[in-house]
Structure formats: structure tokens, C-alpha cells
Amino acid sequence: MPLQSFIDVPPDSDFPIQNLPYGIFKPNDGAARPGVAIGELILDLSVVEELGHFRDVTAPRIFASDSLNAFMALGRPVWKKTRQVLQKLLSAENGTLRDNTEFRARAFHKQNEVTMQLPARIGDYTDFYSSYHHAHNVGTMLRGPENALMPNWKWLPVAYHGRASSIVVSGTEVKRPHGQTKPPDASAPVFGPSKSFDFELETAFFVGLGNSIGRPVSIDQAEDHIFGIVLMNDWSARDIQTWEYQPLGPFLAKNFCTSISPWIITLEALEPFRQNLSAQGPAPLSYLKRANDFTFDIQLEARLQTAKMREPQTITRTNFQNLYWSIAQQLAHHTVNGCNLQPGDLLASGTISGPTEESRGCMLELTWRGTNPLKLSSGESRKWLEDGDTLSITGWCQGDGYRIGFGEVSGCIIGA
Ligand code: MN
């Protein structure tokens, strides 16, 4: 029998007592503040703190804030103790919260009655390119199967620096960008709305503990700098990208909007789903090599709902384990030159594609650059996303009698 809460949690809920993800919520009648999700409710951490339950765990007033940055900066021993306090307070056996009607009335909010915000102030954002099948598919389209991977790809986790200011929380409408594109047969570029609008199914992790400039984080210490993981949709304008990306990489094709899910799933919650990272060949250089490097068994899906559809349709199913490079390797590589990461920085996986056609993580691959359109249950077809389409990404780890869910990241596309 898995651990139970006195709060009623349906068996298919994303948020049982084993999960306890952190987010920032805003009640209709109050300021934004940190909470943890439990079933269909949110436990207000500023109230729990005010009543002294974190007295022996954190600095005072860590949760009297509209972001989680200060808590993230405290490091894994504090995160673990905080989780223990919360699991104890919420467990079916403990009466402290369960039997205190006044406390319960103040401390709990219904998720469907609040607005979720970004969980942290994101100072910097980096997007990796760590799925072998994604890199191989895209490389095959551009250069053919013999030269699909660039020579560096299996030696280092390739990435680009993205833009933090345009990261938005799930539910935010996504405006189709305008930009320069050059049709293949045209002699000069044209300006207008993107005609090949895409999603990218990704996850991203939040940096907790930062590092000082000039002080790399070793591969063995990297895990202790990672607070937790969210779902991410890296909206992409492929036609803008094709014309602008050489020689310095993605720019306006990517930085107009990036959506993330509101709840951060901690590494503590993911621990039962830890798996060994698959063997890498060639063996990575020693600064990227760690005994028992790890990944997680996280199932991931993308669903598309057009304006005509009554229900979303699943268009891809993939898994976090399809990432070739581990999150520890990504963090160690990012800091190896002395680059300083800060609490609240966001490091994304890159599109997560699997080996099969059904597990490709973006329209570019699913329709093979538009040559093989997706056929939808409504009778419609899609080469790319259209205005009025809603794209949602979900993720979960299936436990024995419970699931560690990520909620979702969702966005509806509106015309420019
Ligand atoms: Mn991306």
C-alpha cells in the first residue's frame, strides 16, 4: 500500500502525496505565492511557514515570495527536509493539519480557482539538442543519412542560449510570429506571418543551487544543483529558422514564445523512476563521465486539438529516456568553461524523439517537413500547426498504485 494522504486523491491523479510538486499560484483575492499540488488542491506554503512548520528547516520567510528562487537556492538537504515535513503534514496518520479546521480553511486552495504563474524568475535559458533520434532525423533532412549527425554531436551536448523574457506559463495564447522567410525558388526574402509553425516536445530542468563564475560543477556534483523538471513546448517557426539560422543558430524563429508547465516535479519525487543512462559510444571525455549516470522513465505525449475537434488527439508518444545526454552531463558541460548558473535558470532538453515514426517530437519530423501530412480524426490534415489549434504536452511516471504526473503545458495558436 503506497503512502496515503488525508486529502482525497483519485488513483489517476497527477499529484498524489508521493509527488508534491512546487508552483506559484495566485488566488483571486490575494498575492501570488508558493504552493504544492495535492490531488485537486494546493497547499499554501506561506501559511505552513507562518505557522512555524519549517522553523527547523529553512531560513525565515522563504515562502513569503512570488517566486521559488530563494527556496531553490538553498540546496538539496533543505529540499529533502522540506519534503519530509510536507509528506508528514499531509499523511493520513498525522492529525496536525487533518484535524485543524481553521488551518485547513486557510491553507488549501482549489486548483481550478486560482491562476498559475511561472514558478521562478528565470534569469537565463538554454536549450540543448540531446535526443539522438531528433538530431538524426533533422540532420537526415538537411544533409542526408550519411552525414546526419555533425561530428561534435556524440562528444558534447550541443545547445544554444535562448531567451528567458518570452518564457510563458501553460495556458498563455501563442501568437504566430511575423518574420523574414525565403521561399526556395525566390531570389529575395519576403516578410509576413510564419507559414510553418511548429511545436517541440521537450522537458526542462530548473537549476537550484548556482555556481560562482570560474568554478565549474563536476559531473558528480551536478545532480545536487538540479531542483526539478517541467514540461516545455519550444514553439518554432521553421520557415523563419531555415532562412536565419546560419551561421550562428536559432534566433527569431524561437524567441517569440516558449511555454512551460506550472508545476516543478522534484528529483526526489522522480527517484523511484530513476534508470541507468544507456551506454554511450564513443565514451565521453572524463569531465562528462560519471559512474551510474542516470535518466528517468517519464512517459510523454503531445495532443492536438483543432478548432473543429471536440477532444484532443494524441499525435506522438515518447519517453524522457530517449535523451542521449543526461541532465548531469548537460549541467557539467554548461559550467565546464566557468559559466555561472543561477537559481531559477532553465535548461531544456531539446525535442525528445524516439526511434519510431509515432514517437517523433515535432511536426517537422512527424510530417517529414510537410511532405507527409498528419491525418486527424476530424478528417482534417496538418503539415504544420494552424491558427485555432491547441497543442498540449503531458508527462507522467507510472508507479505501483500511483503516478507522478507533470500536469500539462498547453497553448492555443492565434493569428498574427
Ligand atoms: Mn528546442
Side-chain angles (χ1 to χ4, degrees):
M1 186 80 171
L3 182 65
Q4 300 280 325
S5 174
F6 67 87
I7 300 290
D8 189 35
V9 180
D12 61 345
S13 169
D14 276 347
F15 308 125
I17 191 169
Q18 289 82 2
N19 194 345
L20 303 182
Y22 292 90
I24 297 290
F25 71 99
K26 187 183 179 311
N28 289 331
D29 58 351
R33 65 196 76 166
V36 293
I38 174 86
E40 289 161 3
L41 302 179
I42 298 171
L43 176 60
D44 185 335
L45 295 178
S46 69
V47 173
V48 179
E49 178 174 68
E50 200 184 303
L51 294 168
H53 292 285
F54 299 130
R55 203 179 291 125
D56 304 329
V57 178
T58 66
R61 295 180 60 78
I62 279 292
F63 293 116
S65 170
D66 63 356
S67 85
L68 286 161
N69 295 62
F71 179 59
M72 290 166 148
L74 295 176
R76 174 133 288 119
V78 174
W79 307 334
K80 281 191 165 164
K81 277 191 224 154
T82 304
R83 178 177 167 85
Q84 283 163 9
V85 169
L86 290 171
Q87 273 195 334
K88 197 171 162 194
L89 272 178
L90 286 165
S91 75
E93 294 79 39
N94 190 295
T96 315
L97 192 45
R98 186 192 62 203
D99 304 334
N100 186 334
T101 326
E102 194 196 324
F103 182 15
R104 281 179 66 163
R106 279 189 67 206
F108 287 104
H109 295 258
K110 289 184 177 164
Q111 282 167 33
N112 60 11
E113 290 177 356
V114 305
T115 309
M116 296 305 295
Q117 300 191 353
L118 286 177
R121 285 188 307 277
I122 303 168
D124 276 298
Y125 152 56
T126 300
D127 196 13
F128 283 89
Y129 191 57
S130 288
S131 151
Y132 171 84
H133 295 286
H134 174 65
H136 197 274
N137 283 337
V138 174
T140 300
M141 285 178 219
L142 296 175
R143 295 178 294 275
E146 277 73 43
N147 304 304
L149 292 186
M150 299 295 272
N152 60 2
W153 198 90
K154 284 197 165 185
W155 290 101
L156 57 87
V158 169
Y160 70 95
H161 278 121
R163 186 154 184 93
S165 68
S166 51
I167 298 175
V168 301
V169 74
S170 176
T172 309
E173 285 182 332
V174 184
K175 202 169 156 187
R176 180 181 298 270
H178 278 71
Q180 270 197 35
T181 60
K182 195 175 97 53
D185 46 358
S187 58
V190 295
F191 181 81
S194 167
K195 291 186 176 126
S196 39
F197 193 81
D198 204 352
F199 73 97
E200 290 189 337
L201 184 160
E202 304 196 19
T203 60
F205 68 81
F206 273 99
V207 173
L209 199 60
N211 62 293
S212 306
I213 192 162
R215 302 286 293 270
V217 177
S218 75
I219 183 82
D220 291 322
Q221 292 166 341
E223 186 179 351
D224 284 338
H225 291 254
I226 298 171
F227 180 70
I229 300 180
V230 293
L231 303 169
M232 193 179 101
N233 183 344
D234 179 20
W235 303 98
S236 299
R238 299 299 183 195
D239 44 359
I240 296 173
Q241 186 177 2
T242 303
W243 174 232
E244 76 171 4
Y245 86 100
Q246 285 176 321
L248 289 185
F251 183 32
L252 303 180
K254 300 267 190 183
N255 72 1
F256 58 93
C257 187
T258 308
S259 303
I260 64 169
S261 55
W263 294 108
I264 308 177
I265 315 304
T266 62
L267 294 205
E268 283 69 40
L270 294 170
E271 185 58 34
F273 306 94
R274 184 187 279 248
Q275 302 284 331
N276 291 327
L277 192 72
S278 294
Q280 294 170 316
L285 300 184
S286 61
Y287 81 93
L288 291 172
K289 206 184 295 176
R290 155 187 165 148
N292 306 318
D293 204 349
F294 64 98
T295 178
F296 297 108
D297 180 10
I298 308 170
Q299 302 181 53
L300 299 162
E301 283 189 13
R303 296 169 190 168
L304 174 62
Q305 184 167 14
T306 70
K308 286 185 183 166
M309 291 164 77
R310 287 172 182 224
E311 284 186 350
Q313 178 178 340
T314 298
I315 57 170
T316 192
R317 291 187 172 87
T318 179
N319 193 295
F320 186 79
Q321 292 176 92
N322 285 318
L323 292 169
Y324 181 89
W325 295 103
S326 74
I327 53 176
Q329 288 176 320
Q330 290 169 340
L331 192 136
H333 183 67
H334 204 311
T335 65
V336 73
N337 64 344
C339 173
N340 52 324
L341 298 176
Q342 302 188 86
D345 283 359
L346 192 69
L347 273 58
S349 60
T351 308
I352 306 178
S353 295
T356 63
E357 286 185 27
E358 297 74 32
S359 57
R360 293 173 176 167
C362 60
M363 296 295 278
L364 177 69
E365 291 168 84
L366 285 165
T367 71
W368 208 258
R369 256 198 300 196
T371 58
N372 183 22
L374 270 186
K375 290 179 183 58
L376 303 177
S377 57
S378 57
E380 299 167 282
S381 71
R382 284 287 182 276
K383 290 179 178 176
W384 306 103
L385 298 175
E386 294 186 7
D387 295 348
D389 288 357
T390 298
L391 196 290
S392 307
I393 298 166
T394 59
W396 69 94
C397 306
Q398 190 58 56
D400 188 7
Y402 70 98
R403 62 153 53 173
I404 300 294
F406 282 69
E408 68 167 15
V409 57
S410 175
C412 180
I413 299 156
I414 55 169

